[in-house]
Amino acid sequence: MKNQTEKTSIVNGRSNWCLALLSGLVLASCNPAGSGKLATDTDNGGLKLPEGFGVLVVADSLGAARHLAVNAKGDIFVKRRNIEDGRGIVMLSDTDGDGRADKQTGFGDYNGTGIFLDSNYLYASSNTDIFRYALDENGHVIDPNAPDTVVTGLIDRRAHNSKPFTIDGAGNLYVNIGAYSNACQVQDRTKGSPAMQPCPILDSAGGIWQFRADGIRQTYGDGERYATGLRNVMGIDWNNQANTLFVTQHGRDNLHDLFPELYDTKASATLPAEALFRLDKGANAGWPYTYYDQEQKKIVVAPEYGGDGKKESTEDYLTPAVAFPGHMGPNDLLFYTGDMFPEKYKNGAFVAFHGSWNRAPEEQAGYMVAFIPFKDGAPSGEWEVFADGFAGVEKIAAPDDAKHRPCGLAQGPDGSLYISDDVTGKIYRVIYEGGA
Amino acid sequence: MKVVHNRTLFRGLLVALVAGACMACGGNQSKDSGTAATVTDTPETVEQEPPVLTAGMTAGKAIYEQNCVTCHQTNGKGVSGLNPPLAGTDYVTGDKNRLIGIVLNGSNVGLEVNGAVYSNAMPAHAFLSDEEVANVLSYIRNSFGNRADTVSAALVKEVRALL
């Protein structure tokens, strides 16, 4: 069932490419190709950005667009969470040079989130496997129907089953295997259910596993657990300056629901921290035994393991490199190595916050892309909101209120920053215009 | 039915705008998995006035806010991919025994609700009393656009005895 089709479209409506054609005519008439500089949208796709930045909406209606990658020619590969028309990967191309996708192809008959490009291969993950597709000299997949299976048989028990991954410069592949649990209770998320000690989930999940990027059909025994104590990692990227891995973890949920006597709804909305970790081999980030409290600035014992919200851990667990407010859902991480953006962004980290749900009944938060400056491979300043306005509403009481939610990040060959949205499947391209 | 209606309108609009260019279009049918084991009908409750909450439902609202709202949200629409909606699903407005069973036992089998599967576990709420379960279920069966008859504590007791 791995098949490939082509559609001529600008806005890639899955159900009506005629709308796409119509939009294409309108867009083309006010944005002539070949004018040299790309014309950004007058409304910046609804986003708010720092002075000098503009946004061009490359495509929309792709479905649940998760992570994405851009090749040297500017073609965009997008991983869909759910297959549509049998296709879990979409490739977008711009043939007339106006920056908007006018050609769409699809392949890959599996759900999933992770996607990664190097100069020779496109890699993509289902919720159990990682596949790779050889590329031709134009960066196009040679045979979409016959990928190699690089990794197979990773655990998928629905909860936290996405398998985001990255590859370092030495041919090592690092994949998240999320814990299929909130806090390692005997009965997940159930009030009064005791925690398991030690947590048995950590033998096959709740960490980052390392494999060879050029291996075939590797599974648990062929790789090794690179880091543990990570509940669920969605953002994962290699930092070339520090020459090490960084990840973003989604912190545990339901503190108030499970322990109302220790946490009120306000505390439960902001705790624990969402964390950016520097991960060296052998690191242990403490899940499920502890969590990081960004307000007390300490690693505290989880209430399931005897904590009271204040008791500090005596174990040697990893402290976050950056601690963000709770539940904002850091779904992707990108170290910016391009030359387009101003100097402050060089080698810094962009984090796509999918937006919270576990803050209810309090107001939700996140739904934006943040930036953290880095120097010599370590954070060098406070994090700030970089791109906001995805939700399209002032107040987000429930995730369903948000019209768009940022999910994936990628850097284009010219240094543009691409952001995916998994509500309608919009692809934003952020361009710096201030310098010219 | 709403979807079909919109698609028809939409198609007409397109034809008017780009006459003849749209012969190939037609809105692909949405391709829900079609697994027969699930019930996905949307109850026809839209035109009705929202029901007046009884004392039991008002008590149930408080139970909802303490135990359910974090996952199922203030609007009862859940969270895409993670927690299923309570609005507009037969799981809530249909078979009461099944609904009581899910609340008391929890569910971690990946139920398909309105064509989608949700990944988070639903915890068991057996710690709630029969009356509390009856009240919260009566509340959700008459909130978020839902309208269905109430659940009695006697029925909860009966279902609990069978678990």
Side-chain angles (χ1 to χ4, degrees), chain B residues 120-140:
Chain B
N120 279 344
M122 160 88 181
H125 287 75
F127 59 87
L128 296 174
S129 71
D130 294 339
E131 185 161 10
E132 287 171 326
V133 173
N135 286 341
V136 74
L137 295 185
S138 298
Y139 169 71
I140 65 169

Side-chain angles (χ1 to χ4, degrees), chain A residues 6 35 48 69 78 80 118 129 189 208 245 380-381 433:
Chain A
E6 294 196 359
S35 60
K48 285 171 282 194
V78 183
R80 279 176 172 148
D118 64 21
D129 292 16
R189 297 180 190 265
I208 302 296
L245 191 66
S380 59
E433 305 172 303

Side-chain angles (χ1 to χ4, degrees), chain A residues 2-3 7 28 77 97 124 138 155 176 187 197 225 265 297 301 318 343 363 376:
Chain A
K2 294 190 172 75
N3 55 354
K7 292 180 182 178
F77 294 91
N138 294 314
I155 206 160
N176 167 63
Q187 286 182 290
Q197 176 69 276
R225 195 176 69 177
T265 56
K297 295 189 169 41
V301 177
L318 195 58
E343 188 58 28
E363 198 172 322
D376 301 328

Side-chain angles (χ1 to χ4, degrees), chain A residues 167-232:
Chain A
I167 297 172
D168 67 13
N172 297 301
L173 184 155
Y174 306 87
V175 58
N176 167 63
I177 307 178
Y180 43 91
S181 174
N182 174 45
C184 209
Q185 293 171 277
V186 172
Q187 286 182 290
D188 193 20
R189 297 180 190 265
T190 303
K191 197 173 175 181
S193 176
M196 294 183 272
Q197 176 69 276
C199 177
I201 291 169
L202 293 169
D203 68 349
S204 58
I208 302 296
W209 265 255
Q210 181 182 348
F211 295 97
R212 289 296 302 171
D214 60 358
I216 297 295
R217 298 196 69 80
Q218 302 165 93
T219 190
Y220 283 100
D222 306 307
E224 62 181 314
R225 195 176 69 177
Y226 179 82
T228 189
L230 292 153
R231 179 175 174 274
N232 188 34

Side-chain angles (χ1 to χ4, degrees), chain A residues 390-403:
Chain A
F390 293 89
V393 290
E394 279 302 305
K395 186 170 184 271
I396 306 164
D400 190 64
D401 296 340
K403 294 182 172 64

